[in-house]
Amino acid sequence: YDPTEPNGYWNPINSGKKFGHPDNMTAIGYCNNYLWLFGVNSNEVHYDTGNFDAQLFARYEGAILNIGCNAPNSVATYANNIFWLGSDAAGTIAVFSNEGMQPKRISTRGIEQIIQEMDTPTDVIAYTYAQAGHAFYCMFFQRASRTFVYDIITSSWHERTYLDKATGKLFAWKGCYG
């Protein structure tokens, strides 16, 4: 948001750059008043400087992370956390969240193995929501037609399906994407 612009939004002509570990950007996330710039091999966190005449965002010192984002639509936020599908330095695809300005691996080895065996795990669509005292990070893998859900409160994973009563078959739960 830029109050100096006539419509109140950031002018698309304004620009910035990810310069701590330059690589191709895959996604941008906004969480807890910080802008997360995700690249293929790294990401970095920027903050709003409030300086609309110069550089509006500046990199948060020490917040260059060597974890990239493999799937642009996997970035989702809930409360003070941001979630994404990425890969570590060894190339292992995993699900991450943040612990402050640092990445925290939240996927289990079992979930990681399932994701890595998919033909196109980057086609994931993710979102968060809360219900009945729990908060969830949901990942719907379109081509694999599978949905994995992380319970943020209990730090546990499960797979979701729904039953088509007409056919008696189970299908991937798509949530709001169904």
Side-chain angles (χ1 to χ4, degrees):
Y1 177 75
D2 183 348
T4 65
E5 290 296 323
N7 64 1
Y9 292 96
W10 192 16
N11 183 336
I13 296 172
N14 292 346
S15 65
K17 54 185 158 179
K18 181 178 167 300
F19 53 88
H21 186 283
D23 61 351
N24 291 330
M25 286 193 51
T26 57
I28 297 174
Y30 182 77
C31 180
N32 204 26
N33 294 322
Y34 293 103
L35 194 63
W36 290 66
L37 305 178
F38 292 94
V40 174
N41 300 310
S42 68
N43 73 66
E44 54 187 62
V45 183
H46 288 234
Y47 65 94
D48 184 349
T49 64
N51 186 350
F52 293 103
D53 297 324
Q55 183 69 26
L56 182 58
F57 290 97
R59 187 180 74 230
Y60 188 85
E61 198 60 43
I64 301 172
L65 316 172
N66 291 323
I67 302 289
C69 178
N70 299 64
N73 294 321
S74 70
V75 177
T77 59
Y78 183 79
N80 294 328
N81 294 93
I82 191 161
F83 301 87
W84 73 96
L85 179 65
S87 58
D88 62 16
T92 303
I93 295 174
V95 183
F96 296 90
S97 183
N98 66 305
E99 200 165 83
M101 298 295 167
Q102 296 302 312
K104 176 184 175 186
R105 190 181 204 141
I106 61 170
S107 52
T108 64
R109 296 292 184 204
I111 293 291
E112 292 166 9
Q113 182 176 357
I114 292 168
I115 293 171
Q116 288 178 23
E117 290 173 356
M118 293 179 185
D119 290 335
T120 53
T122 57
D123 72 348
V124 65
I125 297 173
Y127 54 94
T128 59
Y129 76 97
Q131 180 180 16
H134 290 266
F136 301 101
Y137 172 64
C138 305
M139 303 174 70
F140 170 58
F141 294 90
Q142 298 174 78
R143 289 197 186 171
S145 192
R146 295 184 81 173
T147 302
F148 294 98
V149 179
Y150 178 70
D151 186 326
I152 300 166
I153 305 301
T154 64
S155 300
S156 60
W157 285 91
H158 62 275
E159 185 170 7
R160 285 205 187 156
T161 59
Y162 78 91
L163 176 66
D164 183 336
K165 293 179 183 176
T167 64
K169 293 183 179 181
L170 288 175
F171 294 95
W173 183 77
K174 298 177 188 175
C176 62
Y177 292 100

PDB file of all heavy atoms in Angstrom, residues 96-109:
ATOM      1  N   PHE A  96       8.009 -25.954   4.373  1.00  0.00           N
ATOM      2  CA  PHE A  96       8.644 -25.085   5.360  1.00  0.00           C
ATOM      3  C   PHE A  96       7.652 -24.062   5.894  1.00  0.00           C
ATOM      4  O   PHE A  96       6.678 -23.705   5.233  1.00  0.00           O
ATOM      5  CB  PHE A  96       9.829 -24.337   4.733  1.00  0.00           C
ATOM      6  CG  PHE A  96      10.934 -25.232   4.293  1.00  0.00           C
ATOM      7  CD1 PHE A  96      10.968 -25.759   3.015  1.00  0.00           C
ATOM      8  CD2 PHE A  96      11.964 -25.567   5.171  1.00  0.00           C
ATOM      9  CE1 PHE A  96      11.988 -26.592   2.603  1.00  0.00           C
ATOM     10  CE2 PHE A  96      12.985 -26.404   4.766  1.00  0.00           C
ATOM     11  CZ  PHE A  96      12.990 -26.919   3.475  1.00  0.00           C
ATOM     12  N   SER A  97       7.954 -23.593   7.094  1.00  0.00           N
ATOM     13  CA  SER A  97       7.298 -22.452   7.687  1.00  0.00           C
ATOM     14  C   SER A  97       8.414 -21.575   8.231  1.00  0.00           C
ATOM     15  O   SER A  97       9.591 -21.876   8.028  1.00  0.00           O
ATOM     16  CB  SER A  97       6.340 -22.879   8.803  1.00  0.00           C
ATOM     17  OG  SER A  97       5.664 -21.746   9.316  1.00  0.00           O
ATOM     18  N   ASN A  98       8.063 -20.530   8.892  1.00  0.00           N
ATOM     19  CA  ASN A  98       9.093 -19.678   9.469  1.00  0.00           C
ATOM     20  C   ASN A  98       9.072 -19.776  10.988  1.00  0.00           C
ATOM     21  O   ASN A  98       8.053 -20.045  11.606  1.00  0.00           O
ATOM     22  CB  ASN A  98       8.879 -18.225   9.053  1.00  0.00           C
ATOM     23  CG  ASN A  98       7.608 -17.644   9.626  1.00  0.00           C
ATOM     24  OD1 ASN A  98       6.533 -18.194   9.447  1.00  0.00           O
ATOM     25  ND2 ASN A  98       7.733 -16.530  10.322  1.00  0.00           N
ATOM     26  N   GLU A  99      10.231 -19.572  11.545  1.00  0.00           N
ATOM     27  CA  GLU A  99      10.391 -19.393  12.985  1.00  0.00           C
ATOM     28  C   GLU A  99      11.116 -18.072  13.114  1.00  0.00           C
ATOM     29  O   GLU A  99      12.335 -18.027  12.992  1.00  0.00           O
ATOM     30  CB  GLU A  99      11.181 -20.555  13.582  1.00  0.00           C
ATOM     31  CG  GLU A  99      10.979 -20.716  15.069  1.00  0.00           C
ATOM     32  CD  GLU A  99      11.468 -22.074  15.532  1.00  0.00           C
ATOM     33  OE1 GLU A  99      12.692 -22.199  15.761  1.00  0.00           O
ATOM     34  OE2 GLU A  99      10.638 -22.984  15.647  1.00  0.00           O
ATOM     35  N   GLY A 100      10.355 -17.004  13.264  1.00  0.00           N
ATOM     36  CA  GLY A 100      10.930 -15.669  13.159  1.00  0.00           C
ATOM     37  C   GLY A 100      11.314 -15.427  11.718  1.00  0.00           C
ATOM     38  O   GLY A 100      10.502 -15.562  10.813  1.00  0.00           O
ATOM     39  N   MET A 101      12.577 -15.147  11.491  1.00  0.00           N
ATOM     40  CA  MET A 101      13.079 -14.916  10.129  1.00  0.00           C
ATOM     41  C   MET A 101      13.816 -16.126   9.573  1.00  0.00           C
ATOM     42  O   MET A 101      14.479 -16.026   8.549  1.00  0.00           O
ATOM     43  CB  MET A 101      14.021 -13.709  10.116  1.00  0.00           C
ATOM     44  CG  MET A 101      13.380 -12.434  10.523  1.00  0.00           C
ATOM     45  SD  MET A 101      12.125 -11.946   9.335  1.00  0.00           S
ATOM     46  CE  MET A 101      11.312 -10.678  10.242  1.00  0.00           C
ATOM     47  N   GLN A 102      13.723 -17.260  10.235  1.00  0.00           N
ATOM     48  CA  GLN A 102      14.428 -18.460   9.795  1.00  0.00           C
ATOM     49  C   GLN A 102      13.446 -19.524   9.313  1.00  0.00           C
ATOM     50  O   GLN A 102      12.341 -19.633   9.833  1.00  0.00           O
ATOM     51  CB  GLN A 102      15.281 -19.018  10.939  1.00  0.00           C
ATOM     52  CG  GLN A 102      16.392 -18.093  11.383  1.00  0.00           C
ATOM     53  CD  GLN A 102      17.336 -17.761  10.234  1.00  0.00           C
ATOM     54  OE1 GLN A 102      17.793 -18.639   9.515  1.00  0.00           O
ATOM     55  NE2 GLN A 102      17.626 -16.481  10.070  1.00  0.00           N
ATOM     56  N   PRO A 103      13.867 -20.345   8.329  1.00  0.00           N
ATOM     57  CA  PRO A 103      12.989 -21.418   7.862  1.00  0.00           C
ATOM     58  C   PRO A 103      12.935 -22.558   8.872  1.00  0.00           C
ATOM     59  O   PRO A 103      13.908 -22.834   9.568  1.00  0.00           O
ATOM     60  CB  PRO A 103      13.648 -21.881   6.563  1.00  0.00           C
ATOM     61  CG  PRO A 103      15.086 -21.563   6.753  1.00  0.00           C
ATOM     62  CD  PRO A 103      15.126 -20.319   7.598  1.00  0.00           C
ATOM     63  N   LYS A 104      11.785 -23.182   8.943  1.00  0.00           N
ATOM     64  CA  LYS A 104      11.595 -24.336   9.824  1.00  0.00           C
ATOM     65  C   LYS A 104      10.930 -25.428   8.992  1.00  0.00           C
ATOM     66  O   LYS A 104       9.852 -25.218   8.429  1.00  0.00           O
ATOM     67  CB  LYS A 104      10.704 -23.950  11.001  1.00  0.00           C
ATOM     68  CG  LYS A 104      10.376 -25.099  11.914  1.00  0.00           C
ATOM     69  CD  LYS A 104       9.409 -24.662  13.005  1.00  0.00           C
ATOM     70  CE  LYS A 104       8.971 -25.835  13.848  1.00  0.00           C
ATOM     71  NZ  LYS A 104       7.936 -25.454  14.800  1.00  0.00           N
ATOM     72  N   ARG A 105      11.575 -26.562   8.906  1.00  0.00           N
ATOM     73  CA  ARG A 105      11.035 -27.679   8.143  1.00  0.00           C
ATOM     74  C   ARG A 105       9.879 -28.281   8.929  1.00  0.00           C
ATOM     75  O   ARG A 105      10.043 -28.686  10.079  1.00  0.00           O
ATOM     76  CB  ARG A 105      12.138 -28.705   7.937  1.00  0.00           C
ATOM     77  CG  ARG A 105      11.821 -29.789   6.993  1.00  0.00           C
ATOM     78  CD  ARG A 105      13.019 -30.744   6.934  1.00  0.00           C
ATOM     79  NE  ARG A 105      13.038 -31.459   5.715  1.00  0.00           N
ATOM     80  CZ  ARG A 105      14.123 -31.749   5.040  1.00  0.00           C
ATOM     81  NH1 ARG A 105      15.298 -31.366   5.486  1.00  0.00           N
ATOM     82  NH2 ARG A 105      14.052 -32.428   3.931  1.00  0.00           N
ATOM     83  N   ILE A 106       8.692 -28.345   8.309  1.00  0.00           N
ATOM     84  CA  ILE A 106       7.530 -28.873   9.027  1.00  0.00           C
ATOM     85  C   ILE A 106       7.033 -30.193   8.453  1.00  0.00           C
ATOM     86  O   ILE A 106       6.204 -30.850   9.071  1.00  0.00           O
ATOM     87  CB  ILE A 106       6.370 -27.844   9.076  1.00  0.00           C
ATOM     88  CG1 ILE A 106       5.881 -27.490   7.680  1.00  0.00           C
ATOM     89  CG2 ILE A 106       6.779 -26.614   9.869  1.00  0.00           C
ATOM     90  CD1 ILE A 106       4.598 -26.684   7.658  1.00  0.00           C
ATOM     91  N   SER A 107       7.516 -30.566   7.281  1.00  0.00           N
ATOM     92  CA  SER A 107       7.058 -31.831   6.689  1.00  0.00           C
ATOM     93  C   SER A 107       7.805 -33.006   7.309  1.00  0.00           C
ATOM     94  O   SER A 107       8.939 -32.879   7.757  1.00  0.00           O
ATOM     95  CB  SER A 107       7.256 -31.823   5.174  1.00  0.00           C
ATOM     96  OG  SER A 107       8.576 -31.470   4.829  1.00  0.00           O
ATOM     97  N   THR A 108       7.133 -34.134   7.324  1.00  0.00           N
ATOM     98  CA  THR A 108       7.755 -35.373   7.789  1.00  0.00           C
ATOM     99  C   THR A 108       8.440 -36.053   6.608  1.00  0.00           C
ATOM    100  O   THR A 108       8.165 -35.725   5.445  1.00  0.00           O
ATOM    101  CB  THR A 108       6.701 -36.332   8.371  1.00  0.00           C
ATOM    102  OG1 THR A 108       5.807 -36.710   7.311  1.00  0.00           O
ATOM    103  CG2 THR A 108       5.924 -35.685   9.507  1.00  0.00           C
ATOM    104  N   ARG A 109       9.288 -37.007   6.868  1.00  0.00           N
ATOM    105  CA  ARG A 109       9.955 -37.746   5.779  1.00  0.00           C
ATOM    106  C   ARG A 109       8.927 -38.469   4.912  1.00  0.00           C
ATOM    107  O   ARG A 109       9.077 -38.560   3.701  1.00  0.00           O
ATOM    108  CB  ARG A 109      10.980 -38.731   6.339  1.00  0.00           C
ATOM    109  CG  ARG A 109      12.125 -38.069   7.059  1.00  0.00           C
ATOM    110  CD  ARG A 109      12.998 -37.307   6.108  1.00  0.00           C
ATOM    111  NE  ARG A 109      14.136 -36.757   6.828  1.00  0.00           N
ATOM    112  CZ  ARG A 109      14.814 -35.714   6.425  1.00  0.00           C
ATOM    113  NH1 ARG A 109      14.481 -35.101   5.324  1.00  0.00           N
ATOM    114  NH2 ARG A 109      15.828 -35.272   7.116  1.00  0.00           N
TER     115      ARG A 109
END
